[in-house]
Amino acid sequence: MAHRTPPRARICPACDGFSSVAVTFGGRDHRGHLRTVTAHCPACQGTGTVAARRFPEGARA
């Protein structure tokens, strides 16, 4: 019996699946740690995937 393969996750077109990044400020604090801030993709809210479309592309509602 053949196993069904699960559908592939729909990767966000805005971030190509890399939804969160750490951006450095370029300096270090007094303990020597690199100062960074985390930025998330605004299109997918940091998940890396998008929801499936309700209607096929080109179809009218």
Side-chain angles (χ1 to χ4, degrees):
M1 184 155 132
H3 293 283
R4 293 185 181 202
T5 58
R8 293 179 50 197
R10 297 182 53 93
I11 296 175
C12 176
C15 65
D16 291 330
F18 296 97
S19 58
S20 298
V21 295
V23 181
T24 180
F25 289 126
R28 296 187 180 267
D29 63 5
H30 66 280
R31 293 184 181 177
H33 297 150
L34 192 63
R35 297 183 309 165
T36 60
V37 64
T38 304
H40 299 289
C41 174
C44 64
Q45 286 83 33
T47 61
T49 59
V50 293
R53 292 183 180 157
R54 188 169 181 175
F55 298 104
E57 204 170 300
R60 294 185 185 186

